[in-house]
Amino acid sequence: MLIETFDNFEISLIEKFKLHPLFCQLASLTWDDFLGILIQRRYLSLSIVNIYELTIDAIESDDIKRTVRGILNEEYPRNTKGVPLPSHRELLFQDLINLGADRDLILKTPETSVTKLVREESYNLMMSCLDTEYCQAGLVTFLRFWAEVSVSIEYSCLWQRLSERLSDGRSSHRVRSEFYYFHQIHDSRNSGIGQKSILGGLTHAQELAMHLPQLISSADALHYCLQIEEKAYQLKCQFYDGFIDRL
């Protein structure tokens, strides 16, 4: 019952997030404004590794550590011979280049005050979990929703414009996306909390979700985790609210 309540609450957040005014009116953005949003969004992506590293340090369960460590290691892929391949941040940079941004625009555009605030408050939200009785549940809940579930929703919604110049690999007329398309698929919530897919491997969101039933073991723990998800959702909305004036 606890996990079912959590599951339903998360589904409601996802549906609300998809209806954010910016996602619903992407077609009205100029291409330069759209690129500007993606360049600001990159600053949140750059903080992902630190968020994962800090979570590994704070998590007590070896089993959960292995899950988090495994996801983090995918940020730095290697080929079958162990040779390092471009990191996810390198692939993000290349996708932005293929979308029409130049190096100087990507590297020299500063964070807006809203982007900086959202990035810092996201970190603070994660750190706030350390001072609570339900620290472990809060950390996994935050990491999963902020860094995986919501990311998949963001890139899925943004894909309607991204796909004007990038492809999922099935088009001969547009460059294949190596970052945005991959993340909307592999970070996604493809099943209910704690459920396994029948076909294919688990997504990152599903891998982390497998630990939640044991962590959310009381009504108080559930209430705390719902608060964490709500705050993480609000932070992502706050980021996109910062671009409403461009519509």
Side-chain angles (χ1 to χ4, degrees), residues 18-50:
K18 289 178 179 178
L19 294 175
H20 189 279
L22 188 99
F23 296 152
C24 293
Q25 300 180 63
L26 279 176
S28 67
L29 287 170
T30 67
W31 190 257
D32 285 346
D33 281 343
F34 181 60
L35 276 182
I37 294 170
L38 296 179
I39 289 170
Q40 290 300 314
R41 181 61 184 76
R42 173 175 172 268
Y43 283 107
L44 299 186
S45 295
L46 292 176
S47 68
I48 287 281
V49 169
N50 285 343

Side-chain angles (χ1 to χ4, degrees), residues 2 8 10 26 39 56 62 69-70 93-94 106 113 135 145 151 155 166 189 194 208 214 225 227-229 231 238 245:
L2 295 175
N8 291 335
E10 182 172 272
L26 279 176
I39 289 170
I56 289 172
D62 289 338
R69 192 183 297 122
F93 193 89
Q94 188 57 53
I106 300 169
S113 58
C135 167
F145 192 82
V151 170
Y155 295 158
L166 299 177
R189 171 203 156 93
L208 291 167
Q214 70 190 60
C225 290
Q227 287 184 312
I228 292 294
E229 278 219 341
K231 290 176 181 177
Q238 186 177 350
D245 62 347

